[in-house]
Amino acid sequence: MPSTRQPKPVPFNLGEFEQLVLLTLLRLGPDAYGASIQAEIEQRGRRETSVSAVYTTLERLEVKGLVRSRVGEPTPQRGGKRKKHYQMTALGTRALQQSFNLMKRMVEGVESLLKETS
Amino acid sequence: MKTTRETKRGVPGGARPPRLATWLLRFRIPAEHIEYVTGDLEEWFCDQVERHGKRVASWRFWLETFSALRTSWPRGTYTQLTDLSGDRLMTAFFQDFRYAVHMMRARPGFTFAALLTLALCIGANATIFSWINRVLLDPLPGVDSSRLVELRQESAMGSFALSYPDYVDYRDRMPSSLLAGRENWVAYLNAGGGVERLETEVVTANFFEVLGVQPVLGRSFSPQETESPGAEAPVLISYGLWQRSFGGDAQILGRKITINSQTFTVIGVTPQRFQGSTMALQIDAWVPMSMHAAIVPGGDRLKNRGVHWFKGIARLGASHSLERAQSEVDAATMAIVEAAPEYKTVRARLISLSQSDNGGIAILRPVLLSLMSVVVLILLIACANIANLLLARATSRRREIAIRLSMGATRRRLVRQLLTEGLVLSLCGGAGGLVVAYLSSGLLASFAPPTDLPIRMDVSLDSRVLLFTFGVSTVATLLFALIPALRLSRTGLTASISEGSSRGGARNRMRYALVVIQVSLSLALLVAAGLSLRSLRNIQAFDAGFDRNGVLLASLDLFAAGYDRQRGTQVLRDLVDGLESIPGVTSRTIARHVPLGLTGLSSSSVEIEGYQPAADEVPIIPFTPVGPDYLRTMGITLLKGRDIARSDEPEAPRVAVISEAMAERYWGGREALGGRFRFGSNGPWVTVVGVARDLKWREVRERDRAFAYLSVFQAFHPSTVIHLRTSSDPLMLAGAVRDLVRRIDPSLTLSSVRTLAGHVSASTFQQRMAGSLLGTFGLLAIVLAAVGLYGVLAFTVGQRTREIGLRIALGAMPRQVFRMVVRHGLLLTGIGLGFGMAAAYALGLAMSSLLFGVSPADPWTMTLGACVLLATSGLASFLPALRATRVDPTVALRGD
């Protein structure tokens, strides 16, 4: 039994796609927005997804307080339409950590099995 | 940190995502996201264009769009959507739509039953409407007939055709519209070795201008071709004839063809859809009036005002009303009366094409209108049925509705959701209905009378039919979904607490009312079906004044073969003599007309010796030239005197046999035998030698009319019909008749060989059509009513399980429980039957023009219909009643 003091746990678990989006936000930094997140998930994660799926997930995360958004300045690209930039909140970072730790604990001792089968 | 990728992005070649897709997205994506999301999507699209090219990118963009449409956006939840305006409304609609589809899939049994019912009933409506559309609204395919009217002359004796001088007078005095003349006539085309029967129209040169039809090849007639044929005798041929007889020859223009032994030059081909101006008939060729003598027997008709032989058709000027044109016609009639006083009782009228009896197809109007009202009733029954199913379902949805209400959904919003569910249901049903209509609309042609006329009644499902079907589906939605939706939305918040709450009295009353409506409408339909089937039987058994059995008919046209009066009369003599010697023939004759065949009759004004007509009376007598032994061959009773005989030759004194009605009308108390009359005011006197029993000429419902039979040798007509009476199968004689005709003249051809019985059945097709269709609909109505009653009883039994269990526990016998449920069913039926009698009587009155020999309030038909419905509802209550007797009181009461 670990005796170190645990941070107060986030009162909910993240879905798999939510984790993916949060991880992407971690990678892309404060300027991330819908299309760039979607492209990153497709390129790095090699997983097909749609812009609307990304948006609805970001919306849900924002309602839960895990990300926050700001509206950027209009640029000549994309017909002058503004972007909505997303950034992780501290709560989001903790939720991601929590999920990651959970995963790590579950994986411990069985990594070799996963490697062999993958 | 990684930068965003916009730096490497441009818009390659200004590529833009598909507009429709972006437009659709606007409705689905909440307004607060729209700018960023579409911006991202455009950026993503440009990236795709760079990588995969425009086509793949567009395709993926559509997939992306659909995915966005399917996604539930977090801000767009039901309960928050209370202000509905613009885009929000559309967004909400998408949500409702998705939910409706979900609900349909969740209850496949209900959905299947409702869809099948709707598809059949909307399909029946669409089918009948497509027929009405074809016959009454778009009577002339390929022609805009909205501003076309028929010009018709009428006197006290009925309506009659125009003469050419009349036509010219009307044409020149109607500045606000354009008047053409036309008449259809059979002619024969000599092509290659054979002779082909053609249906032609003899027309004025402005005919195509009036109809607004442009030939697909060549030209139409030039103005002067009405009265002088010019250097060549021009003819326009139909697209069908061009393909059929000339193999679609591209060099057809200028080609010489021979019609009735006259050489014509083809100057044009009409469009494929165009059939001519005679409803339901496919015309093969159009000949200008200048050439009428080659087609129409009887010499030059253009100068003689007394020869009424064609019909007028006019196109009203764009800005002129029918009233204006009618006043011009009235003025023209006055001018004609000045020149020809015998027109003093004539009135000319303009009537719209759908009112005209043109081509005999107008007799379909009462049938079609009755059928339309019947299918509307069927749809009402079906809607009552589905409303009942929805009401039953509503009970199981009360919890869901209550939850939604408690979450803050407004009632308006709920009603919208429920109506959308109904709309989706009925639109799917409407689509199925179109399939039904597509399959069944062609049935119209199969009801056409069995004549040798080239009847063409192809029905197409055009935009008007589509619009109608859409309208019917929408109205059906309101009918079956509105009541359940309004009721359901009134569900109290507390209703969810107890699912089995028995506070359903009002809802049950509504269900019972719907069943009563169904039963009463079904009775009306059943009675209508019964009345029309009885009319059909009466009409088939009706004594029309002649014996229709055992007679062979065959038509012969001497005019087309180039015979004149003298040579023609000789051929008829040879024919009459030759027919007598055919073995098996008990009696033979020839005649110009055959009774009850939807065809016209010749008639003429007469002067009757010793009869003083009233001031405005012009006696007009229909007549037909007949051969020897006509009355005997047709089985018409001779009341006095003798039949037309072989000896009534041209040189002999002119004789006639007249009908009983004519003898009574014009001779009254005097002796008609030996009386005299003449056609016109200077023809030879004709002596009455016989009086025959009246018979029905045009249709069985006509009243007895004055009629004269003349000797065919004295009143020659080149087209004639051979009549042979035999005691064996008439059609066995056809070969012998053909041989005989070939022996007389090898160039003569027989056409339309048929039996008299078959010919007569043509006149009953109205009743056959009404009988068979109403019979089918009546059956459908019974099934719907039975299903409806069953559904309601089964539901009530389910609802009353506890009560029934209690009764059984208290000692009720299964028989008593059984009787209780059946009595309930029969009570509902009985109330329905009461209302149904009234509805049936109203429907019977509305279709009284179709009835024959049976009253709209016929007690037998009513009683039979009521019995059938009672028996059906007995059957429908049987299963629920049986289930009620099997209620186990211990199980039923455990719930409490």
Side-chain angles (χ1 to χ4, degrees), chain B residues 483-715:
Chain B
I483 294 175
L486 288 178
R487 286 199 161 262
L488 202 50
S489 73
R490 250 179 265 146
T491 303
L493 276 178
T494 50
S496 67
I497 296 165
S498 157
E499 275 275 301
S501 148
S502 56
R503 207 196 54 87
R507 219 184 328 273
N508 277 346
R509 266 202 300 284
M510 178 58 75
R511 261 197 288 275
Y512 299 154
L514 286 172
V515 167
V516 166
I517 290 174
Q518 277 186 43
V519 169
S520 56
L521 293 181
S522 303
L523 179 69
L525 285 188
L526 268 187
V527 170
L531 289 176
S532 62
L533 287 173
R534 290 194 57 183
S535 302
L536 178 60
R537 220 187 50 196
N538 289 346
I539 221 165
Q540 278 168 343
F542 182 70
D543 176 14
F546 57 92
D547 178 7
R548 69 188 72 175
N549 297 310
V551 176
L552 179 81
L553 303 176
S555 307
L556 191 64
D557 192 335
L558 297 176
F559 178 74
Y563 279 88
D564 59 11
R565 169 184 286 265
Q566 205 178 357
R567 288 174 54 231
T569 310
Q570 187 51 48
V571 165
L572 294 184
R573 275 191 206 104
D574 295 346
L575 195 63
V576 166
D577 295 343
L579 289 171
E580 193 152 37
S581 57
I582 292 178
V585 171
T586 54
S587 174
R588 55 83 191 94
T589 193
I590 52 177
R592 165 84 181 92
H593 299 105
V594 183
L596 292 183
L598 301 177
T599 44
L601 281 173
S602 314
S603 49
S604 178
S605 59
V606 291
E607 184 184 332
I608 291 152
E609 209 175 39
Y611 175 79
Q612 192 54 52
D616 57 349
E617 180 190 2
V618 183
I620 292 179
I621 304 290
F623 64 92
T624 190
V626 299
D629 301 330
Y630 180 76
L631 300 181
R632 185 156 78 94
T633 312
M634 287 292 286
I636 302 167
T637 312
L638 180 66
L639 298 172
K640 264 188 262 181
R642 67 170 175 89
D643 207 340
I644 296 291
R646 176 72 173 78
S647 55
D648 294 323
E649 288 279 352
E651 310 78 43
R654 305 224 155 202
V655 295
V657 172
I658 60 171
S659 70
E660 202 180 349
M662 178 164 172
E664 232 157 69
R665 171 92 176 76
Y666 296 111
W667 275 273
R670 299 176 293 141
E671 175 57 74
L673 276 189
R676 300 199 303 169
F677 66 95
R678 62 180 175 181
F679 291 103
S681 50
N682 49 10
W685 286 100
V686 180
T687 308
V688 175
V689 295
V691 178
R693 216 187 119 197
D694 292 309
L695 62 82
K696 306 293 178 193
W697 269 100
R698 276 183 234 257
E699 55 149 348
V700 287
R701 258 167 304 186
E702 73 185 9
R703 56 190 167 80
D704 295 333
R705 60 163 83 202
F707 195 87
Y709 307 90
L710 310 176
S711 165
V712 73
F713 302 128
Q714 295 174 343

Side-chain angles (χ1 to χ4, degrees), chain B residues 863-878:
Chain B
T863 313
L864 190 70
C867 288
V868 169
L869 267 174
L870 272 177
T872 315
S873 61
L875 275 179
S877 357
F878 182 76

Side-chain angles (χ1 to χ4, degrees), chain B residues 363 366-367 370-371 374 524-540 542 699-702 763-771 774 839-859 861-862:
Chain B
I363 64 170
V367 185
S370 305
L371 284 175
V374 161
L525 285 188
L526 268 187
V527 170
L531 289 176
S532 62
L533 287 173
R534 290 194 57 183
S535 302
L536 178 60
R537 220 187 50 196
N538 289 346
I539 221 165
Q540 278 168 343
F542 182 70
E699 55 149 348
V700 287
R701 258 167 304 186
E702 73 185 9
S763 62
T764 64
F765 90 108
Q766 214 188 358
Q767 278 79 15
R768 271 190 301 129
M769 184 167 169
L774 286 178
Y841 181 63
L843 188 59
L845 278 186
M847 56 183 277
S848 57
S849 76
L850 291 175
L851 299 184
F852 183 75
V854 58
S855 123
D858 184 52
T861 317
M862 291 255 186

Side-chain angles (χ1 to χ4, degrees), chain B residues 252-274:
Chain B
I252 187 72
L253 296 182
R255 191 159 152 182
K256 309 274 185 217
I257 61 174
T258 307
I259 300 176
N260 285 2
S261 60
Q262 162 79 44
T263 307
F264 283 87
T265 307
V266 177
I267 60 161
V269 176
T270 56
Q272 189 167 9
R273 231 186 133 228
F274 182 60

Side-chain angles (χ1 to χ4, degrees), chain A residues 26-36 38-40 42-43 48-53 55-56 59-60 63 71 75 77-84, chain B residues 1-11 32-44 47-48 51 60 64 67-69 71-75:
Chain A
L26 205 58
R27 277 182 186 282
L28 295 183
D31 286 335
Y33 62 102
S36 69
Q38 186 255 0
E40 183 72 15
E42 281 201 357
Q43 277 166 22
E48 290 224 348
T49 182
S50 68
V51 173
S52 38
Y55 258 98
T56 46
E59 271 300 310
R60 209 160 46 233
V63 172
V71 175
T75 54
Q77 285 88 2
R78 16 188 305 156
K81 292 192 177 77
R82 291 174 301 172
K83 290 174 193 155
K84 196 171 190 181
Chain B
M1 279 285 154
K2 204 168 163 191
T3 62
T4 56
R5 296 182 303 151
E6 75 186 272
T7 43
K8 60 176 180 182
R9 261 172 224 285
V11 181
E32 65 263 32
H33 300 312
I34 192 87
E35 183 180 352
Y36 327 119
V37 177
T38 48
D40 280 2
L41 280 173
E42 274 172 37
E43 191 181 317
W44 172 82
D47 182 50
Q48 292 288 315
R51 279 202 256 166
R60 291 200 175 174
E64 185 72 35
S67 140
L69 293 181
T71 310
S72 2
W73 295 86
R75 292 272 163 92

Side-chain angles (χ1 to χ4, degrees), chain B residues 56-356:
Chain B
V56 176
S58 297
W59 172 242
R60 291 200 175 174
F61 193 86
W62 270 108
L63 290 182
E64 185 72 35
T65 305
F66 286 130
S67 140
L69 293 181
R70 286 208 332 265
T71 310
S72 2
W73 295 86
R75 292 272 163 92
T77 48
Y78 284 102
T79 48
Q80 290 170 9
L81 272 177
T82 42
D83 67 323
L84 297 172
S85 55
D87 290 0
R88 293 285 206 159
L89 203 66
M90 200 70 182
T91 313
F93 174 76
F94 272 109
Q95 283 173 346
D96 288 351
F97 178 80
R98 268 163 16 102
Y99 191 72
V101 171
H102 168 76
M103 288 303 285
M104 279 173 70
R105 283 166 55 177
R107 285 171 178 74
F110 164 80
T111 307
F112 177 77
L115 280 186
L116 189 68
T117 312
L118 278 173
L120 283 178
C121 297
I122 296 179
N125 274 276
T127 304
I128 302 296
F129 180 76
S130 73
W131 296 354
I132 287 184
N133 184 32
R134 172 70 180 78
V135 174
L136 302 180
L137 304 179
D138 184 22
L140 303 177
V143 176
D144 170 19
S145 47
S146 58
R147 298 196 66 78
L148 288 181
V149 291
E150 187 174 295
L151 175 64
R152 179 193 279 187
Q153 287 181 321
E154 289 171 341
S155 74
M157 304 301 290
S159 67
F160 51 92
L162 292 175
S163 69
Y164 190 74
D166 291 349
Y167 163 74
V168 173
D169 283 337
Y170 285 118
R171 181 194 64 193
D172 296 346
R173 288 183 167 88
M174 286 173 63
S176 73
S177 35
L178 210 55
L179 178 67
R182 67 18 163 147
E183 185 58 37
N184 66 307
W185 218 275
V186 174
Y188 294 85
L189 169 74
N190 291 73
V195 176
E196 188 182 344
R197 187 191 147 117
L198 294 187
E199 204 65 45
T200 65
E201 275 183 335
V202 180
V203 300
T204 53
N206 60 1
F207 175 75
F208 290 98
E209 188 189 346
V210 168
L211 262 58
V213 170
Q214 282 292 325
V216 286
L217 263 188
R219 61 172 179 92
S220 56
F221 302 119
S222 61
Q224 65 277 11
E225 277 167 345
T226 303
E227 295 191 24
S228 107
E232 51 188 19
V235 64
L236 271 95
I237 61 173
S238 72
Y239 191 91
L241 182 67
W242 179 44
Q243 296 295 326
R244 188 172 72 230
S245 301
F246 303 102
D249 179 11
Q251 309 297 317
I252 187 72
L253 296 182
R255 191 159 152 182
K256 309 274 185 217
I257 61 174
T258 307
I259 300 176
N260 285 2
S261 60
Q262 162 79 44
T263 307
F264 283 87
T265 307
V266 177
I267 60 161
V269 176
T270 56
Q272 189 167 9
R273 231 186 133 228
F274 182 60
Q275 291 183 210
S277 65
T278 312
M279 277 180 230
L281 220 54
Q282 175 63 56
I283 303 295
D284 302 304
W286 290 265
V287 172
M289 281 216 176
S290 53
M291 294 304 300
H292 74 281
I295 307 292
V296 187
D300 188 358
R301 293 171 169 229
L302 296 192
K303 301 278 186 300
N304 192 341
R305 197 183 282 280
V307 184
H308 297 264
W309 64 287
F310 64 89
K311 301 192 188 82
I313 185 168
R315 177 172 293 280
L316 300 177
S319 53
H320 299 292
S321 65
L322 183 64
E323 289 69 35
R324 161 92 184 269
Q326 179 64 51
S327 66
E328 289 171 0
V329 167
D330 291 342
T333 311
M334 305 266 265
I336 293 174
V337 170
E338 267 171 39
E342 69 268 23
Y343 277 66
K344 63 181 188 293
T345 63
V346 171
R347 179 175 147 72
R349 274 206 313 141
L350 292 176
I351 50 175
S352 80
L353 274 194
S354 62
Q355 298 290 312
S356 130

